[in-house]
PDB file of all heavy atoms in Angstrom:
ATOM      1  N   PHE A 233     114.837 137.797  34.175  1.00  0.00           N
ATOM      2  CA  PHE A 233     115.413 136.729  33.373  1.00  0.00           C
ATOM      3  C   PHE A 233     114.607 135.472  33.594  1.00  0.00           C
ATOM      4  O   PHE A 233     113.940 135.305  34.609  1.00  0.00           O
ATOM      5  CB  PHE A 233     116.892 136.516  33.712  1.00  0.00           C
ATOM      6  CG  PHE A 233     117.183 136.257  35.159  1.00  0.00           C
ATOM      7  CD1 PHE A 233     117.243 134.967  35.628  1.00  0.00           C
ATOM      8  CD2 PHE A 233     117.400 137.298  36.053  1.00  0.00           C
ATOM      9  CE1 PHE A 233     117.520 134.711  36.954  1.00  0.00           C
ATOM     10  CE2 PHE A 233     117.681 137.060  37.381  1.00  0.00           C
ATOM     11  CZ  PHE A 233     117.742 135.756  37.832  1.00  0.00           C
ATOM     12  N   ASP A 234     114.645 134.595  32.622  1.00  0.00           N
ATOM     13  CA  ASP A 234     113.874 133.357  32.671  1.00  0.00           C
ATOM     14  C   ASP A 234     114.659 132.271  33.400  1.00  0.00           C
ATOM     15  O   ASP A 234     115.875 132.160  33.247  1.00  0.00           O
ATOM     16  CB  ASP A 234     113.556 132.866  31.257  1.00  0.00           C
ATOM     17  CG  ASP A 234     112.595 133.790  30.522  1.00  0.00           C
ATOM     18  OD1 ASP A 234     111.777 134.426  31.200  1.00  0.00           O
ATOM     19  OD2 ASP A 234     112.676 133.854  29.282  1.00  0.00           O
ATOM     20  N   LEU A 235     113.935 131.480  34.189  1.00  0.00           N
ATOM     21  CA  LEU A 235     114.484 130.308  34.858  1.00  0.00           C
ATOM     22  C   LEU A 235     113.559 129.136  34.570  1.00  0.00           C
ATOM     23  O   LEU A 235     112.396 129.329  34.207  1.00  0.00           O
ATOM     24  CB  LEU A 235     114.552 130.522  36.372  1.00  0.00           C
ATOM     25  CG  LEU A 235     115.503 131.590  36.884  1.00  0.00           C
ATOM     26  CD1 LEU A 235     115.285 131.835  38.368  1.00  0.00           C
ATOM     27  CD2 LEU A 235     116.933 131.152  36.644  1.00  0.00           C
ATOM     28  N   SER A 236     114.051 127.928  34.754  1.00  0.00           N
ATOM     29  CA  SER A 236     113.165 126.773  34.627  1.00  0.00           C
ATOM     30  C   SER A 236     112.116 126.859  35.729  1.00  0.00           C
ATOM     31  O   SER A 236     112.313 127.518  36.749  1.00  0.00           O
ATOM     32  CB  SER A 236     113.968 125.480  34.762  1.00  0.00           C
ATOM     33  OG  SER A 236     114.393 125.305  36.082  1.00  0.00           O
ATOM     34  N   ASP A 237     110.969 126.208  35.514  1.00  0.00           N
ATOM     35  CA  ASP A 237     109.923 126.302  36.530  1.00  0.00           C
ATOM     36  C   ASP A 237     110.057 125.222  37.597  1.00  0.00           C
ATOM     37  O   ASP A 237     109.096 124.865  38.255  1.00  0.00           O
ATOM     38  CB  ASP A 237     108.533 126.310  35.902  1.00  0.00           C
ATOM     39  CG  ASP A 237     108.179 125.000  35.214  1.00  0.00           C
ATOM     40  OD1 ASP A 237     109.037 124.111  35.162  1.00  0.00           O
ATOM     41  OD2 ASP A 237     107.042 124.878  34.753  1.00  0.00           O
ATOM     42  N   ASP A 238     111.259 124.683  37.782  1.00  0.00           N
ATOM     43  CA  ASP A 238     111.505 123.812  38.919  1.00  0.00           C
ATOM     44  C   ASP A 238     111.234 124.619  40.177  1.00  0.00           C
ATOM     45  O   ASP A 238     111.641 125.766  40.279  1.00  0.00           O
ATOM     46  CB  ASP A 238     112.963 123.331  38.958  1.00  0.00           C
ATOM     47  CG  ASP A 238     113.303 122.419  37.806  1.00  0.00           C
ATOM     48  OD1 ASP A 238     112.385 121.860  37.205  1.00  0.00           O
ATOM     49  OD2 ASP A 238     114.506 122.283  37.515  1.00  0.00           O
ATOM     50  N   LEU A 239     110.546 124.032  41.101  1.00  0.00           N
ATOM     51  CA  LEU A 239     110.216 124.750  42.328  1.00  0.00           C
ATOM     52  C   LEU A 239     111.383 124.606  43.283  1.00  0.00           C
ATOM     53  O   LEU A 239     111.483 123.658  44.038  1.00  0.00           O
ATOM     54  CB  LEU A 239     108.923 124.203  42.918  1.00  0.00           C
ATOM     55  CG  LEU A 239     107.760 124.335  41.947  1.00  0.00           C
ATOM     56  CD1 LEU A 239     106.545 123.613  42.466  1.00  0.00           C
ATOM     57  CD2 LEU A 239     107.464 125.784  41.667  1.00  0.00           C
ATOM     58  N   THR A 240     112.253 125.547  43.204  1.00  0.00           N
ATOM     59  CA  THR A 240     113.484 125.515  43.976  1.00  0.00           C
ATOM     60  C   THR A 240     113.916 126.942  44.234  1.00  0.00           C
ATOM     61  O   THR A 240     113.181 127.881  43.949  1.00  0.00           O
ATOM     62  CB  THR A 240     114.575 124.723  43.207  1.00  0.00           C
ATOM     63  OG1 THR A 240     115.706 124.584  44.043  1.00  0.00           O
ATOM     64  CG2 THR A 240     114.953 125.403  41.912  1.00  0.00           C
ATOM     65  N   SER A 241     115.085 127.110  44.731  1.00  0.00           N
ATOM     66  CA  SER A 241     115.677 128.436  44.887  1.00  0.00           C
ATOM     67  C   SER A 241     117.037 128.419  44.229  1.00  0.00           C
ATOM     68  O   SER A 241     117.720 127.399  44.215  1.00  0.00           O
ATOM     69  CB  SER A 241     115.828 128.798  46.368  1.00  0.00           C
ATOM     70  OG  SER A 241     114.560 128.921  46.967  1.00  0.00           O
ATOM     71  N   TRP A 242     117.402 129.540  43.696  1.00  0.00           N
ATOM     72  CA  TRP A 242     118.695 129.684  43.056  1.00  0.00           C
ATOM     73  C   TRP A 242     119.533 130.646  43.868  1.00  0.00           C
ATOM     74  O   TRP A 242     119.018 131.604  44.434  1.00  0.00           O
ATOM     75  CB  TRP A 242     118.534 130.229  41.632  1.00  0.00           C
ATOM     76  CG  TRP A 242     117.809 129.286  40.732  1.00  0.00           C
ATOM     77  CD1 TRP A 242     116.461 129.221  40.536  1.00  0.00           C
ATOM     78  CD2 TRP A 242     118.377 128.265  39.925  1.00  0.00           C
ATOM     79  NE1 TRP A 242     116.155 128.236  39.654  1.00  0.00           N
ATOM     80  CE2 TRP A 242     117.317 127.629  39.251  1.00  0.00           C
ATOM     81  CE3 TRP A 242     119.676 127.837  39.701  1.00  0.00           C
ATOM     82  CZ2 TRP A 242     117.524 126.583  38.376  1.00  0.00           C
ATOM     83  CZ3 TRP A 242     119.878 126.785  38.812  1.00  0.00           C
ATOM     84  CH2 TRP A 242     118.810 126.170  38.160  1.00  0.00           C
ATOM     85  N   ARG A 243     120.810 130.392  43.911  1.00  0.00           N
ATOM     86  CA  ARG A 243     121.745 131.289  44.560  1.00  0.00           C
ATOM     87  C   ARG A 243     122.648 131.832  43.463  1.00  0.00           C
ATOM     88  O   ARG A 243     123.295 131.065  42.749  1.00  0.00           O
ATOM     89  CB  ARG A 243     122.570 130.563  45.612  1.00  0.00           C
ATOM     90  CG  ARG A 243     123.508 131.485  46.328  1.00  0.00           C
ATOM     91  CD  ARG A 243     124.145 130.791  47.508  1.00  0.00           C
ATOM     92  NE  ARG A 243     124.985 131.748  48.182  1.00  0.00           N
ATOM     93  CZ  ARG A 243     126.193 131.479  48.611  1.00  0.00           C
ATOM     94  NH1 ARG A 243     126.679 130.280  48.469  1.00  0.00           N
ATOM     95  NH2 ARG A 243     126.896 132.408  49.202  1.00  0.00           N
ATOM     96  N   ILE A 244     122.653 133.123  43.317  1.00  0.00           N
ATOM     97  CA  ILE A 244     123.469 133.756  42.294  1.00  0.00           C
ATOM     98  C   ILE A 244     124.672 134.387  42.968  1.00  0.00           C
ATOM     99  O   ILE A 244     124.538 135.114  43.955  1.00  0.00           O
ATOM    100  CB  ILE A 244     122.663 134.839  41.544  1.00  0.00           C
ATOM    101  CG1 ILE A 244     121.474 134.180  40.846  1.00  0.00           C
ATOM    102  CG2 ILE A 244     123.537 135.572  40.559  1.00  0.00           C
ATOM    103  CD1 ILE A 244     120.525 135.159  40.239  1.00  0.00           C
ATOM    104  N   VAL A 245     125.842 134.084  42.441  1.00  0.00           N
ATOM    105  CA  VAL A 245     127.078 134.635  42.978  1.00  0.00           C
ATOM    106  C   VAL A 245     127.813 135.296  41.818  1.00  0.00           C
ATOM    107  O   VAL A 245     127.958 134.718  40.743  1.00  0.00           O
ATOM    108  CB  VAL A 245     127.970 133.544  43.601  1.00  0.00           C
ATOM    109  CG1 VAL A 245     129.267 134.139  44.112  1.00  0.00           C
ATOM    110  CG2 VAL A 245     127.232 132.815  44.706  1.00  0.00           C
ATOM    111  N   ALA A 246     128.259 136.522  42.033  1.00  0.00           N
ATOM    112  CA  ALA A 246     129.033 137.238  41.020  1.00  0.00           C
ATOM    113  C   ALA A 246     130.301 137.771  41.676  1.00  0.00           C
ATOM    114  O   ALA A 246     130.280 138.241  42.816  1.00  0.00           O
ATOM    115  CB  ALA A 246     128.219 138.382  40.442  1.00  0.00           C
ATOM    116  N   SER A 247     131.392 137.671  40.960  1.00  0.00           N
ATOM    117  CA  SER A 247     132.640 138.222  41.460  1.00  0.00           C
ATOM    118  C   SER A 247     133.368 138.875  40.291  1.00  0.00           C
ATOM    119  O   SER A 247     133.143 138.539  39.137  1.00  0.00           O
ATOM    120  CB  SER A 247     133.515 137.140  42.104  1.00  0.00           C
ATOM    121  OG  SER A 247     133.835 136.143  41.157  1.00  0.00           O
ATOM    122  N   GLY A 248     134.192 139.826  40.610  1.00  0.00           N
ATOM    123  CA  GLY A 248     134.917 140.510  39.551  1.00  0.00           C
ATOM    124  C   GLY A 248     136.164 141.199  40.061  1.00  0.00           C
ATOM    125  O   GLY A 248     136.310 141.443  41.258  1.00  0.00           O
ATOM    126  N   VAL A 249     137.039 141.480  39.127  1.00  0.00           N
ATOM    127  CA  VAL A 249     138.286 142.182  39.431  1.00  0.00           C
ATOM    128  C   VAL A 249     138.468 143.256  38.353  1.00  0.00           C
ATOM    129  O   VAL A 249     138.318 142.980  37.163  1.00  0.00           O
ATOM    130  CB  VAL A 249     139.493 141.215  39.416  1.00  0.00           C
ATOM    131  CG1 VAL A 249     140.786 141.965  39.700  1.00  0.00           C
ATOM    132  CG2 VAL A 249     139.295 140.094  40.404  1.00  0.00           C
ATOM    133  N   THR A 250     138.774 144.482  38.787  1.00  0.00           N
ATOM    134  CA  THR A 250     138.997 145.565  37.831  1.00  0.00           C
ATOM    135  C   THR A 250     140.428 145.525  37.323  1.00  0.00           C
ATOM    136  O   THR A 250     141.286 144.817  37.872  1.00  0.00           O
ATOM    137  CB  THR A 250     138.719 146.935  38.484  1.00  0.00           C
ATOM    138  OG1 THR A 250     139.734 147.177  39.460  1.00  0.00           O
ATOM    139  CG2 THR A 250     137.346 146.988  39.108  1.00  0.00           C
ATOM    140  N   ARG A 251     140.716 146.331  36.310  1.00  0.00           N
ATOM    141  CA  ARG A 251     142.080 146.420  35.785  1.00  0.00           C
ATOM    142  C   ARG A 251     143.040 146.964  36.839  1.00  0.00           C
ATOM    143  O   ARG A 251     144.232 146.674  36.810  1.00  0.00           O
ATOM    144  CB  ARG A 251     142.097 147.308  34.549  1.00  0.00           C
ATOM    145  CG  ARG A 251     141.507 146.621  33.349  1.00  0.00           C
ATOM    146  CD  ARG A 251     141.745 147.447  32.080  1.00  0.00           C
ATOM    147  NE  ARG A 251     141.217 146.720  30.955  1.00  0.00           N
ATOM    148  CZ  ARG A 251     140.179 147.114  30.246  1.00  0.00           C
ATOM    149  NH1 ARG A 251     139.565 148.242  30.518  1.00  0.00           N
ATOM    150  NH2 ARG A 251     139.757 146.384  29.244  1.00  0.00           N
ATOM    151  N   SER A 252     142.512 147.746  37.762  1.00  0.00           N
ATOM    152  CA  SER A 252     143.369 148.281  38.822  1.00  0.00           C
ATOM    153  C   SER A 252     143.433 147.343  40.035  1.00  0.00           C
ATOM    154  O   SER A 252     143.813 147.745  41.119  1.00  0.00           O
ATOM    155  CB  SER A 252     142.899 149.674  39.236  1.00  0.00           C
ATOM    156  OG  SER A 252     141.580 149.582  39.754  1.00  0.00           O
ATOM    157  N   LEU A 253     142.994 146.091  39.842  1.00  0.00           N
ATOM    158  CA  LEU A 253     143.043 145.020  40.848  1.00  0.00           C
ATOM    159  C   LEU A 253     142.144 145.259  42.056  1.00  0.00           C
ATOM    160  O   LEU A 253     142.420 144.775  43.151  1.00  0.00           O
ATOM    161  CB  LEU A 253     144.483 144.760  41.300  1.00  0.00           C
ATOM    162  CG  LEU A 253     145.432 144.288  40.194  1.00  0.00           C
ATOM    163  CD1 LEU A 253     146.821 144.061  40.762  1.00  0.00           C
ATOM    164  CD2 LEU A 253     144.905 143.025  39.520  1.00  0.00           C
ATOM    165  N   ARG A 254     141.065 145.984  41.865  1.00  0.00           N
ATOM    166  CA  ARG A 254     140.025 146.089  42.909  1.00  0.00           C
ATOM    167  C   ARG A 254     139.071 144.923  42.692  1.00  0.00           C
ATOM    168  O   ARG A 254     138.646 144.666  41.571  1.00  0.00           O
ATOM    169  CB  ARG A 254     139.315 147.421  42.799  1.00  0.00           C
ATOM    170  CG  ARG A 254     140.274 148.577  43.110  1.00  0.00           C
ATOM    171  CD  ARG A 254     139.555 149.866  43.057  1.00  0.00           C
ATOM    172  NE  ARG A 254     138.456 149.822  44.035  1.00  0.00           N
ATOM    173  CZ  ARG A 254     137.962 150.872  44.637  1.00  0.00           C
ATOM    174  NH1 ARG A 254     138.439 152.065  44.366  1.00  0.00           N
ATOM    175  NH2 ARG A 254     136.988 150.768  45.490  1.00  0.00           N
ATOM    176  N   ALA A 255     138.767 144.229  43.765  1.00  0.00           N
ATOM    177  CA  ALA A 255     137.929 143.027  43.656  1.00  0.00           C
ATOM    178  C   ALA A 255     136.624 143.222  44.419  1.00  0.00           C
ATOM    179  O   ALA A 255     136.539 144.007  45.354  1.00  0.00           O
ATOM    180  CB  ALA A 255     138.681 141.826  44.208  1.00  0.00           C
ATOM    181  N   GLY A 256     135.633 142.487  43.991  1.00  0.00           N
ATOM    182  CA  GLY A 256     134.352 142.536  44.675  1.00  0.00           C
ATOM    183  C   GLY A 256     133.586 141.244  44.458  1.00  0.00           C
ATOM    184  O   GLY A 256     133.842 140.489  43.518  1.00  0.00           O
ATOM    185  N   VAL A 257     132.669 140.974  45.341  1.00  0.00           N
ATOM    186  CA  VAL A 257     131.829 139.793  45.230  1.00  0.00           C
ATOM    187  C   VAL A 257     130.438 140.149  45.757  1.00  0.00           C
ATOM    188  O   VAL A 257     130.294 140.988  46.649  1.00  0.00           O
ATOM    189  CB  VAL A 257     132.431 138.590  46.003  1.00  0.00           C
ATOM    190  CG1 VAL A 257     132.456 138.842  47.508  1.00  0.00           C
ATOM    191  CG2 VAL A 257     131.669 137.305  45.699  1.00  0.00           C
ATOM    192  N   GLY A 258     129.441 139.526  45.190  1.00  0.00           N
ATOM    193  CA  GLY A 258     128.071 139.727  45.649  1.00  0.00           C
ATOM    194  C   GLY A 258     127.277 138.454  45.452  1.00  0.00           C
ATOM    195  O   GLY A 258     127.641 137.599  44.647  1.00  0.00           O
ATOM    196  N   HIS A 259     126.214 138.310  46.200  1.00  0.00           N
ATOM    197  CA  HIS A 259     125.360 137.130  46.027  1.00  0.00           C
ATOM    198  C   HIS A 259     123.922 137.511  46.298  1.00  0.00           C
ATOM    199  O   HIS A 259     123.629 138.506  46.986  1.00  0.00           O
ATOM    200  CB  HIS A 259     125.818 135.973  46.923  1.00  0.00           C
ATOM    201  CG  HIS A 259     125.836 136.317  48.379  1.00  0.00           C
ATOM    202  ND1 HIS A 259     124.743 136.196  49.178  1.00  0.00           N
ATOM    203  CD2 HIS A 259     126.836 136.773  49.160  1.00  0.00           C
ATOM    204  CE1 HIS A 259     125.058 136.573  50.406  1.00  0.00           C
ATOM    205  NE2 HIS A 259     126.320 136.923  50.424  1.00  0.00           N
ATOM    206  N   ALA A 260     123.030 136.743  45.719  1.00  0.00           N
ATOM    207  CA  ALA A 260     121.594 136.974  45.897  1.00  0.00           C
ATOM    208  C   ALA A 260     120.881 135.629  45.930  1.00  0.00           C
ATOM    209  O   ALA A 260     121.316 134.654  45.329  1.00  0.00           O
ATOM    210  CB  ALA A 260     121.048 137.835  44.763  1.00  0.00           C
ATOM    211  N   HIS A 261     119.777 135.581  46.641  1.00  0.00           N
ATOM    212  CA  HIS A 261     118.917 134.407  46.728  1.00  0.00           C
ATOM    213  C   HIS A 261     117.697 134.682  45.858  1.00  0.00           C
ATOM    214  O   HIS A 261     117.013 135.692  46.034  1.00  0.00           O
ATOM    215  CB  HIS A 261     118.518 134.191  48.195  1.00  0.00           C
ATOM    216  CG  HIS A 261     117.577 133.060  48.391  1.00  0.00           C
ATOM    217  ND1 HIS A 261     117.992 131.755  48.398  1.00  0.00           N
ATOM    218  CD2 HIS A 261     116.241 133.037  48.588  1.00  0.00           C
ATOM    219  CE1 HIS A 261     116.941 130.982  48.591  1.00  0.00           C
ATOM    220  NE2 HIS A 261     115.876 131.740  48.713  1.00  0.00           N
ATOM    221  N   VAL A 262     117.411 133.793  44.893  1.00  0.00           N
ATOM    222  CA  VAL A 262     116.275 133.993  43.987  1.00  0.00           C
ATOM    223  C   VAL A 262     115.326 132.799  44.148  1.00  0.00           C
ATOM    224  O   VAL A 262     115.559 131.725  43.600  1.00  0.00           O
ATOM    225  CB  VAL A 262     116.744 134.098  42.519  1.00  0.00           C
ATOM    226  CG1 VAL A 262     115.545 134.293  41.599  1.00  0.00           C
ATOM    227  CG2 VAL A 262     117.753 135.214  42.353  1.00  0.00           C
ATOM    228  N   PRO A 263     114.243 132.965  44.921  1.00  0.00           N
ATOM    229  CA  PRO A 263     113.277 131.867  45.036  1.00  0.00           C
ATOM    230  C   PRO A 263     112.451 131.760  43.756  1.00  0.00           C
ATOM    231  O   PRO A 263     112.120 132.764  43.137  1.00  0.00           O
ATOM    232  CB  PRO A 263     112.405 132.279  46.226  1.00  0.00           C
ATOM    233  CG  PRO A 263     112.564 133.752  46.336  1.00  0.00           C
ATOM    234  CD  PRO A 263     113.903 134.101  45.754  1.00  0.00           C
ATOM    235  N   VAL A 264     112.174 130.534  43.353  1.00  0.00           N
ATOM    236  CA  VAL A 264     111.362 130.285  42.161  1.00  0.00           C
ATOM    237  C   VAL A 264     110.084 129.614  42.617  1.00  0.00           C
ATOM    238  O   VAL A 264     110.108 128.634  43.363  1.00  0.00           O
ATOM    239  CB  VAL A 264     112.107 129.379  41.161  1.00  0.00           C
ATOM    240  CG1 VAL A 264     111.236 129.088  39.942  1.00  0.00           C
ATOM    241  CG2 VAL A 264     113.413 130.021  40.739  1.00  0.00           C
ATOM    242  N   SER A 265     108.958 130.123  42.182  1.00  0.00           N
ATOM    243  CA  SER A 265     107.678 129.550  42.554  1.00  0.00           C
ATOM    244  C   SER A 265     106.673 129.831  41.457  1.00  0.00           C
ATOM    245  O   SER A 265     106.979 130.472  40.456  1.00  0.00           O
ATOM    246  CB  SER A 265     107.194 130.130  43.892  1.00  0.00           C
ATOM    247  OG  SER A 265     106.072 129.398  44.335  1.00  0.00           O
ATOM    248  N   LEU A 266     105.482 129.357  41.666  1.00  0.00           N
ATOM    249  CA  LEU A 266     104.372 129.590  40.761  1.00  0.00           C
ATOM    250  C   LEU A 266     103.211 130.140  41.582  1.00  0.00           C
ATOM    251  O   LEU A 266     103.136 129.921  42.793  1.00  0.00           O
ATOM    252  CB  LEU A 266     103.953 128.283  40.084  1.00  0.00           C
ATOM    253  CG  LEU A 266     104.979 127.623  39.177  1.00  0.00           C
ATOM    254  CD1 LEU A 266     104.521 126.218  38.784  1.00  0.00           C
ATOM    255  CD2 LEU A 266     105.209 128.471  37.942  1.00  0.00           C
ATOM    256  N   PRO A 267     102.273 130.806  40.942  1.00  0.00           N
ATOM    257  CA  PRO A 267     101.109 131.301  41.684  1.00  0.00           C
ATOM    258  C   PRO A 267     100.284 130.171  42.294  1.00  0.00           C
ATOM    259  O   PRO A 267      99.715 130.311  43.370  1.00  0.00           O
ATOM    260  CB  PRO A 267     100.293 132.054  40.634  1.00  0.00           C
ATOM    261  CG  PRO A 267     101.213 132.302  39.501  1.00  0.00           C
ATOM    262  CD  PRO A 267     102.267 131.249  39.552  1.00  0.00           C
ATOM    263  N   PHE A 268     100.227 129.022  41.588  1.00  0.00           N
ATOM    264  CA  PHE A 268      99.429 127.901  42.072  1.00  0.00           C
ATOM    265  C   PHE A 268      99.972 126.618  41.450  1.00  0.00           C
ATOM    266  O   PHE A 268     100.210 126.559  40.246  1.00  0.00           O
ATOM    267  CB  PHE A 268      97.960 128.075  41.670  1.00  0.00           C
ATOM    268  CG  PHE A 268      97.061 126.959  42.135  1.00  0.00           C
ATOM    269  CD1 PHE A 268      96.662 126.882  43.455  1.00  0.00           C
ATOM    270  CD2 PHE A 268      96.625 125.994  41.255  1.00  0.00           C
ATOM    271  CE1 PHE A 268      95.829 125.858  43.890  1.00  0.00           C
ATOM    272  CE2 PHE A 268      95.791 124.965  41.675  1.00  0.00           C
ATOM    273  CZ  PHE A 268      95.394 124.899  42.990  1.00  0.00           C
ATOM    274  N   PHE A 269     100.191 125.591  42.276  1.00  0.00           N
ATOM    275  CA  PHE A 269     100.596 124.291  41.743  1.00  0.00           C
ATOM    276  C   PHE A 269     100.215 123.180  42.707  1.00  0.00           C
ATOM    277  O   PHE A 269     100.090 123.391  43.909  1.00  0.00           O
ATOM    278  CB  PHE A 269     102.094 124.245  41.416  1.00  0.00           C
ATOM    279  CG  PHE A 269     102.999 124.418  42.595  1.00  0.00           C
ATOM    280  CD1 PHE A 269     103.536 123.321  43.244  1.00  0.00           C
ATOM    281  CD2 PHE A 269     103.337 125.685  43.045  1.00  0.00           C
ATOM    282  CE1 PHE A 269     104.387 123.486  44.327  1.00  0.00           C
ATOM    283  CE2 PHE A 269     104.190 125.859  44.117  1.00  0.00           C
ATOM    284  CZ  PHE A 269     104.720 124.754  44.765  1.00  0.00           C
ATOM    285  N   ALA A 270      99.997 122.006  42.125  1.00  0.00           N
ATOM    286  CA  ALA A 270      99.638 120.817  42.899  1.00  0.00           C
ATOM    287  C   ALA A 270     100.885 119.973  43.135  1.00  0.00           C
ATOM    288  O   ALA A 270     101.838 120.020  42.366  1.00  0.00           O
ATOM    289  CB  ALA A 270      98.591 120.008  42.151  1.00  0.00           C
ATOM    290  N   ASP A 271     100.841 119.196  44.190  1.00  0.00           N
ATOM    291  CA  ASP A 271     101.922 118.281  44.535  1.00  0.00           C
ATOM    292  C   ASP A 271     101.296 116.950  44.924  1.00  0.00           C
ATOM    293  O   ASP A 271     100.258 116.916  45.599  1.00  0.00           O
ATOM    294  CB  ASP A 271     102.737 118.846  45.700  1.00  0.00           C
ATOM    295  CG  ASP A 271     103.873 117.930  46.115  1.00  0.00           C
ATOM    296  OD1 ASP A 271     104.577 117.429  45.231  1.00  0.00           O
ATOM    297  OD2 ASP A 271     104.051 117.730  47.331  1.00  0.00           O
TER     298      ASP A 271
END
Side-chain angles (χ1 to χ4, degrees):
F233 55 93
D234 293 330
L235 294 171
S236 71
D237 66 356
D238 293 340
L239 301 172
T240 186
S241 294
W242 295 89
R243 182 171 183 224
I244 298 172
V245 178
S247 60
V249 179
T250 69
R251 286 189 177 113
S252 62
L253 298 180
R254 295 182 59 152
V257 66
H259 58 87
H261 177 79
V262 180
V264 178
S265 190
L266 296 170
F268 180 76
F269 63 96
D271 179 45

